Amino acid sequence: MSRIDSRKDRRRGRARVVDADRPAEITAIDGVDAVPVGDPDAVVIVAASTVLSEAPPENDSIEGEGDLTDDIDFDGEYDPDAESVLAPGRERPLLGRRRPDTIAVLLFANSPILESSIPISVFGVDRRDAGVPNYRLLVCAAEPGPLRTTGGVELIAPYGLDALARAGTVIVPAWHSPSRMPPPPVLEALRRAHCEGARIVGLCGGAFVLAAAGLLDDRPATTHWMYAPALAKRYPKVRVDPRELYVDDGDILTSAGTAAGIDLCLHLVRLDHGPDAANALARRLVVPAHRIGGQAQYMDLTLPEEISGDPLATVISWALENLAERFDIEQLATRAYMSRRTFDRRFRTLTGSAPLQWLLTQRVLQAQRLLETTDLQVEEIARRCGFRSPVALRGHFRKQLGVPPASYRETFRTRSPEETGEEEVCARAVG
């Protein structure tokens, strides 16, 4: 029995048939849960102490809403009799003093500055002159500051965890280590916000924080493709899909790495204020209003280090080295000296993915590399990647990446200096 998730068009840019009688399959791609989320060397920042924004004056409040440090009477249960407001695009009403136009961004120490700054840049600048509705932004420290980040930069957030009580949307833009648990007060604050109707958003590694709070249990989610196996392994109740740029599951939303965080922020504006506002903001940021395809087109083809010591690693390595051969999962189970049932269970536990989905992903990844680096025809690429025909390659390629092989080659093809004319230009310059 199959069903179509009617929200896929709005949330992922395309509808997908979901088998209601089988658990969702998780694609395993390269990732090590000991590696911090966000490469600390990926962003070059002047090594200086930086104040993110001015601290609010003492006893300041948000436009007459009262003191942010006021206690909230909260017992952890959803109270239908509490004062509430149902904003456009929301599936649940906001309780208490939460406002739909107030966004809280939760910052941690040792998190990458680029990912941390994305929602601040999107929602913290007044762009009403360009037709973009204004939001009230609360930048909140999840732990005592100053918060040290990329390049030794120190951030001072003007608010603490208590400010989350005002927000209709709470964004966790980054987290520094998949293998570490976030502070318990943070997890409790996120659960409380969600119980009171707030929309909770995890960008890139922020998905690990949402998962630790239990907010992603039995829900679809994504994160950076490098860390998807770690998320699936550490939190097996989460239905991880590393192919998507972002996943909207109503009151819980997650995105892939860095640029996908901008995609999801634009999606939030689109939900709140419509496509015209989102398009105006995209023009201001000089980014596409909506990108075609998922993050599968950016993945790498390597054996995850975290499984290299497992007995199944030999079988996985053989499969990666022989993708041109037409073998199936039964043959891999035989190589592992296991029954099919045992092999499926061990493989999913180890990688977070069903064996067939993993194998199809690796074949498509190999096709990507050949499209990037060779002039081979699609027929030959299909043969070298173990597909029965070019039609099969095109179908799986488009399903995973959202674009046909020809378009992918045009975008990612590595060209020689002779093809680009750089050699001739350099020769004239030297002459």
Side-chain angles (χ1 to χ4, degrees):
M1 178 175 126
S2 297
R3 62 179 172 83
I4 291 287
D5 189 332
S6 61
R7 296 179 295 189
K8 289 297 187 299
D9 280 327
R10 174 168 65 88
R11 296 175 181 178
R12 306 190 191 187
R14 60 181 184 273
R16 183 153 58 92
V17 177
V18 180
D19 190 335
D21 297 325
R22 298 178 59 191
E25 294 182 339
I26 304 166
T27 306
I29 307 296
D30 180 25
V32 185
D33 63 3
V35 179
V37 173
D39 183 355
D41 298 323
V43 184
V44 179
I45 303 292
V46 177
S49 179
T50 301
V51 176
L52 186 62
S53 60
E54 294 294 334
E58 195 170 335
N59 298 324
D60 190 19
S61 62
I62 301 178
E63 300 194 15
E65 286 293 313
D67 191 349
L68 284 169
T69 59
D70 288 347
D71 291 333
I72 298 175
D73 184 14
F74 178 76
D75 59 6
E77 297 295 330
Y78 181 79
D79 182 3
D81 297 324
E83 181 183 353
S84 64
V85 57
L86 184 60
R90 303 286 181 134
E91 297 187 355
R92 295 189 299 149
L94 294 172
L95 297 185
R97 295 169 295 167
R98 296 189 180 276
R99 297 282 298 272
D101 59 348
T102 299
I103 293 182
V105 176
L106 197 56
L107 301 182
F108 295 90
N110 302 313
S111 292
I113 192 171
L114 180 56
E115 286 82 354
S116 299
S117 67
I118 284 173
I120 299 172
S121 300
V122 172
F123 299 109
V125 179
D126 188 344
R127 300 185 177 93
R128 282 177 288 187
D129 62 318
V132 180
N134 204 31
Y135 286 88
R136 294 178 176 134
L137 180 70
L138 306 177
V139 181
C140 307
E143 48 200 333
L147 306 176
R148 192 175 181 84
T149 182
T150 310
V153 173
E154 293 184 341
L155 306 179
I156 300 176
Y159 299 104
L161 277 177
D162 53 351
L164 267 61
R166 298 282 186 176
T169 298
V170 178
I171 300 178
V172 184
W175 176 241
H176 53 78
S177 176
S179 61
R180 297 185 62 182
M181 282 291 291
V186 171
L187 303 182
E188 177 57 31
L190 290 174
R191 295 186 196 107
R192 175 182 302 184
H194 181 250
C195 193
E196 292 183 344
R199 185 170 55 186
I200 311 296
V201 180
L203 308 182
C204 193
F208 284 85
V209 182
L210 273 58
L215 299 180
L216 298 183
D217 287 0
D218 301 316
R219 287 178 177 262
T222 193
T223 186
H224 193 296
W225 59 265
M226 287 180 61
Y227 309 107
L231 181 63
K233 185 175 181 179
R234 188 171 181 85
Y235 302 102
K237 290 185 178 181
V238 182
R239 303 204 304 270
V240 182
D241 189 347
R243 295 168 295 180
E244 304 295 343
L245 291 174
Y246 61 82
V247 173
D248 176 345
D249 196 43
D251 52 358
I252 302 287
L253 303 93
T254 52
S255 82
T258 314
I262 300 177
D263 294 325
L264 181 48
C265 288
L266 288 171
H267 177 67
L268 294 176
V269 175
R270 190 177 299 111
L271 290 176
D272 292 343
H273 302 290
D276 289 344
N279 293 342
L281 178 57
R283 286 193 294 270
R284 214 46 191 275
L285 297 175
V286 198
V287 296
H290 182 75
R291 282 196 288 167
I292 297 175
Q295 62 171 327
Q297 57 193 306
Y298 306 106
M299 294 176 180
D300 194 10
L301 176 60
T302 53
L303 180 67
E305 293 180 19
E306 63 181 359
I307 70 173
S308 59
D310 191 275
L312 278 183
T314 302
V315 176
I316 293 175
S317 294
W318 180 89
L320 291 173
E321 293 168 2
N322 294 273
L323 289 174
E325 304 295 328
R326 294 180 184 173
F327 55 86
D328 57 20
I329 305 305
E330 292 287 353
Q331 290 172 271
L332 293 181
T334 300
R335 281 185 165 273
Y337 301 102
M338 297 178 185
S339 68
R340 174 63 187 270
R341 182 186 295 271
T342 301
F343 180 80
D344 284 0
R345 184 176 65 251
R346 285 284 309 280
F347 195 97
R348 187 183 288 274
T349 300
L350 181 65
T351 67
S353 172
L356 181 57
Q357 182 60 59
W358 178 88
L359 181 58
L360 288 172
T361 298
Q362 304 311 311
R363 294 194 189 281
V364 169
L365 285 170
Q366 179 68 1
Q368 289 178 245
R369 301 301 165 257
L370 293 175
L371 288 167
E372 292 171 8
T373 59
T374 73
D375 291 319
L376 295 173
Q377 297 296 315
V378 172
E379 290 77 7
E380 178 62 17
I381 291 176
R383 188 190 66 78
R384 293 193 183 193
C385 296
F387 289 104
R388 294 184 180 276
S389 69
V391 174
L393 166 60
R394 290 189 180 96
H396 287 292
F397 199 96
R398 187 152 201 158
K399 180 179 179 181
Q400 290 194 29
L401 276 65
V403 295
S407 298
Y408 180 88
R409 170 173 268 169
E410 182 66 25
T411 302
F412 292 96
R413 171 72 194 282
T414 302
R415 302 185 183 279
S416 66
E418 292 85 354
E419 291 178 295
T420 60
E422 291 180 7
E423 189 176 74
E424 181 181 349
V425 171
C426 291
R428 286 202 302 267
V430 173

